[in-house]
Amino acid sequence: MEEAIRRWRLILGGDQNDGTGFSLTGVDLQMDKTLSALYDSERSAGLGPSSPNVNRWLGDIRTFFPSSVVQVMQRDALQRLNLTQLLFEKEMLENVEADVHLVATLLTLSRVIPDKTKDTARQVVRKVVEELLRKLSSPMQQAIQGSLNRSIRNTRPRHAEINWHATIQKNLKHYQPEYKTIIPEQRIGYGRKRSALKDVVLCLDQSGSMGTSVVYSGIFGSVMASIPAIKTKMVVFDTAVVDLTEELEDPVDLLFGVQLGGGTDIQLALGYCQQIITRPLDTVLVLITDLYEGGSDEPMRKKAAELVAAGVQVIVLLALNDDGAPGYDHANAAYLASLGIPVFACTPDKFPDLMAQALSKQDIGQWAAKEDLVLKR
């Protein structure tokens, strides 16, 4: 019972009307002060705009709370106390618990961060990017390479095209003990190799609402660019279009090439994609946007219809993050869905399998329904 009252006291914040009558001591009292500094509307604990106070508070929350909670509290601090300006301070960047949301904030501010802080900001971004690469690159590579291998498997390969591992497994029943060998009655191969079996275009809305989606898209784009069997291009847009394909080798450089914020011109971006797509029947175009078009909807809808008619496999992701249900333009989503374009939000853990399904030309709608991803209609 006492533990339950203690927890309620920490939740309610200690005002006279909290009703618990419970007095905190020791570590609990210090924890309460760190919570009050952020969530007390009177700011009586005095976080204020002072960098030393904030740095001390950042150290305290890492002492008292797990990393996942620390990241939530940091985001709340930036929003509730308007501490974004403090990201210009080297000392704060060195003490902050970096995550994908902080990276998105830094990218938004990248054009105005002082020179003295830019190197530290890049180090923060690189740390998060490397952590995400360790987590996401292997599933992405395995899913895509597996789908491509299956899509070109044949049973009459040339000698240089034989998949010996699969062939031996298939013919184990034909093992000849007296000769200590296997008779490969059925050969399995991957067909003739080409420099690129499929083309992928990631077309990314860099308006401010797409911050974390931009980070994940940059990571996945870099991973796909390292796979020889697919040719990956990265296009970002607001009211202008920028081709960042040349930056895919280094995801940090790529992300700093993005300018979050500004307006949105989706039809202009789709028009550019039409120009760079040379093999429409072998191309997957992933448009990542909330579909809020800054200009007229009709030109954007026309471009999308032209891409579909040309044979391009178009997929619209309303978000690529773990942030929950995104806001989006329902009318445009419904129209694109009527063209047969799958429209839904996707979490990063499901994106590798999504691309594997798309590259092997599976029904994305059925896959999304199976994965409990709600398609917009």
Side-chain angles (χ1 to χ4, degrees), residues 22-188:
F22 192 89
S23 297
L24 300 175
T25 60
V27 173
D28 284 347
L29 184 59
Q30 292 177 288
M31 187 185 303
D32 185 58
K33 289 180 179 179
T34 64
L35 291 168
S36 296
L38 175 57
Y39 296 111
D40 183 353
S41 60
E42 300 297 325
R43 301 185 191 180
S44 57
L47 247 193
S50 168
S51 181
N53 282 345
V54 173
N55 284 327
R56 191 180 307 116
W57 179 79
L58 288 169
D60 288 343
I61 64 175
R62 287 201 300 273
T63 299
F64 301 131
F65 302 100
S67 178
S68 58
V69 176
V70 169
Q71 292 171 2
V72 171
M73 293 180 72
Q74 286 178 169
R75 291 200 298 273
D76 286 349
L78 291 173
Q79 294 170 3
R80 294 169 65 94
L81 303 181
N82 194 26
L83 299 181
T84 302
Q85 184 69 25
L86 290 177
L87 293 179
F88 296 171
E89 301 284 345
K90 182 179 179 181
E91 292 76 13
M92 181 177 178
L93 283 174
E94 289 173 342
N95 287 312
V96 78
E97 185 83 19
D99 70 346
V100 67
H101 296 88
L102 178 62
V103 170
T105 301
L106 288 174
L107 296 179
T108 304
L109 301 171
S110 63
R111 297 296 187 271
V112 295
I113 291 178
D115 290 340
K116 67 176 183 178
T117 315
K118 283 184 177 179
D119 287 344
T120 307
R122 287 184 71 88
Q123 292 172 19
V124 171
V125 172
R126 186 169 294 281
K127 178 183 176 182
V128 174
V129 165
E130 288 176 350
E131 289 176 355
L132 290 173
L133 281 171
R134 282 193 293 271
K135 177 182 177 182
L136 301 173
S137 62
S138 181
M140 190 73 182
Q141 290 174 339
Q142 291 176 6
I144 289 180
Q145 289 174 336
S147 70
L148 292 174
N149 287 343
R150 287 191 297 273
S151 69
I152 58 175
R153 172 177 288 196
N154 68 78
T155 57
R156 298 185 63 185
R158 299 179 180 181
H159 184 272
E161 299 164 355
I162 295 175
N163 177 350
W164 287 108
H165 179 75
T167 298
I168 290 171
Q169 280 192 323
K170 186 71 175 179
N171 292 279
L172 284 175
K173 61 184 177 181
H174 302 306
Y175 179 70
Q176 304 296 313
E178 62 273 26
Y179 298 109
K180 296 182 179 181
T181 190
I182 290 173
I183 305 298
E185 290 190 2
Q186 184 175 350
R187 293 175 297 166
I188 298 174

Side-chain angles (χ1 to χ4, degrees), residues 208-227:
S209 61
M210 304 298 293
T212 52
S213 296
V214 168
V215 178
Y216 282 115
S217 300
I219 299 295
F220 284 125
S222 294
V223 174
M224 287 192 289
S226 70
I227 301 174

Side-chain angles (χ1 to χ4, degrees), residues 231 252 298:
K231 184 177 182 180
V252 176
E298 286 306 314

Side-chain angles (χ1 to χ4, degrees), residues 205 207 209-210 264 266 287-298 300-301 316-319 325-338 341 343-345 375-377:
D205 182 345
S207 58
S209 61
M210 304 298 293
T264 308
I266 302 174
L287 175 63
I288 305 173
T289 177
D290 54 18
L291 293 175
Y292 286 112
E293 176 66 299
S296 171
D297 291 332
E298 286 306 314
M300 180 269 288
R301 295 179 177 186
V316 173
L317 298 184
L318 302 170
Y328 64 96
D329 188 300
H330 290 254
N332 282 332
Y335 178 81
L336 295 178
S338 72
I341 297 175
V343 181
F344 56 96
L375 282 95
K376 311 306 174 185
R377 303 186 186 282

